[in-house]
DNA sequence: TATTTGATTCTT
DNA sequence: AGAATCAAATAT
């Protein structure tokens, strides 16, 4: 079952743990790659100093202000694409960074590595998370017990002051 | 117009 | 500990 766009128009911290165990499907031409989400981080609102939208709307983060269900893709450190799914309603800037994916062959840990293997780039920025765009989420009935879901501090945002300590990174244990 | 800086990862 | 490498944000 393909996740509807409405799935993402809800509180980000509610969606983030639910995304674990959901499948990410990437279609490239005739090929299809899929794997389930093992790790994700929430970036919520203008008050969150770690969130790109914290300093107002800019060219880069404009899609975060759009309604939930679209991709926010951008280049970091000049070499790695970050894949985020925008959440919540229009004019509320929030998104979830996908940090880890487990496919049948391989476990990609690290946002840069998974975007490289899924061939994700700027072309998807602002596109909806539907099969038409070639990248979307599916619920394939994998249910995780709450003991498998762990929380921790977000990574790589030491500039964000006290916000770096928020336990908004969700991941699957083992 | 110039400089700084990352939601990273791999090499030394 | 440092490099790779660049667009956008910030400083000048």
């Amino acid at each position: 079952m393909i996740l509807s766009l409405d799935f993402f128009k809800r509180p980000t911290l509610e969606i983030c743990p639910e995304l674990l165990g959901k499948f990410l499907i990437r279609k490239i031409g005739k090929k299809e790659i899929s794997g389930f989400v093992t790790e994700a981080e929430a970036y919520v609102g203008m008050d969150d100093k770690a969130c790109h939208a914290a300093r107002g709307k800019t060219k880069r983060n404009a899609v975060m202000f759009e309604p939930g269900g679209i991709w926010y893709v951008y280049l970091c450190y000049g070499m790695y694409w970050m894949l985020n799914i925008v959440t919540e309603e229009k004019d509320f800037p929030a998104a979830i960074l996908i940090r880890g994916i487990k496919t049948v062959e391989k476990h990609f840990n690290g946002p840069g590595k998974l975007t490289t293997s899924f061939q994700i780039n700027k072309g998807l920025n602002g596109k909806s998370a539907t099969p038409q765009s070639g990248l979307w989420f599916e619920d394939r009935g994998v249910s995780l017990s709450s003991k498998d879901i762990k929380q921790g501090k977000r990574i790589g945002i030491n500039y964000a002051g006290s916000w770096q300590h928020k336990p908004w990174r969700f991941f699957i244990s083992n």
Side-chain angles (χ1 to χ4, degrees), chain A residues 24 26 52 59-64 70-76 79-86 94-98 111-112 114-116 118-129 133 135:
Chain A
L24 183 70
R26 171 66 165 141
H52 282 168
K59 205 172 187 178
R60 179 173 65 167
N61 66 31
V63 298
M64 290 180 86
I70 62 176
W71 300 111
Y72 170 40
V73 182
Y74 85 98
L75 187 66
C76 191
M79 19 176 33
Y80 294 105
W81 295 101
M82 300 290 123
L83 175 66
N84 304 250
I85 183 71
V86 176
I96 294 171
L97 169 69
I98 309 301
L114 84 87
T115 50
T116 301
F118 274 60
Q119 297 180 34
I120 287 160
N121 54 45
K122 190 127 197 160
L124 282 158
N125 195 38
K127 294 269 171 58
S128 294
S133 70
L135 185 68

Side-chain angles (χ1 to χ4, degrees), chain A residues 42-156:
Chain A
Y43 289 86
V44 187
M46 313 251 296
D47 293 332
D48 180 2
K49 294 288 181 299
C51 179
H52 282 168
R55 284 179 198 161
K57 193 173 182 176
T58 65
K59 205 172 187 178
R60 179 173 65 167
N61 66 31
V63 298
M64 290 180 86
F65 290 78
E66 295 298 311
I70 62 176
W71 300 111
Y72 170 40
V73 182
Y74 85 98
L75 187 66
C76 191
Y77 296 105
M79 19 176 33
Y80 294 105
W81 295 101
M82 300 290 123
L83 175 66
N84 304 250
I85 183 71
V86 176
T87 56
E88 316 239 4
E89 298 293 338
K90 185 171 164 54
D91 293 329
F92 187 97
I96 294 171
L97 169 69
I98 309 301
R99 295 190 57 91
I101 293 285
K102 176 91 163 64
T103 66
V104 279
E105 308 95 35
K106 224 173 169 178
H107 188 190
F108 299 104
N109 50 335
K113 286 155 87 175
L114 84 87
T115 50
T116 301
S117 57
F118 274 60
Q119 297 180 34
I120 287 160
N121 54 45
K122 190 127 197 160
L124 282 158
N125 195 38
K127 294 269 171 58
S128 294
T130 61
Q132 287 85 28
S133 70
L135 185 68
W136 70 97
F137 283 110
E138 279 186 21
D139 184 345
R140 294 190 172 175
V142 176
S143 61
L144 298 164
S145 61
S146 57
K147 69 174 160 51
D148 292 328
I149 296 178
K150 307 241 166 160
Q151 279 186 59
K153 284 187 278 190
R154 290 177 292 181
I155 289 173

Side-chain angles (χ1 to χ4, degrees), chain A residues 11-70:
Chain A
T12 311
L13 292 174
E14 197 174 292
I15 301 168
C16 202
E18 288 181 25
L19 224 44
L20 301 180
K22 296 287 189 291
F23 278 75
L24 183 70
I25 322 289
R26 171 66 165 141
K27 193 167 188 176
I28 307 157
K30 285 186 173 180
K31 271 193 173 177
E32 227 176 60
I33 310 174
S34 66
F36 65 85
V37 181
T38 58
E39 199 177 338
E41 280 179 13
Y43 289 86
V44 187
M46 313 251 296
D47 293 332
D48 180 2
K49 294 288 181 299
C51 179
H52 282 168
R55 284 179 198 161
K57 193 173 182 176
T58 65
K59 205 172 187 178
R60 179 173 65 167
N61 66 31
V63 298
M64 290 180 86
F65 290 78
E66 295 298 311
I70 62 176

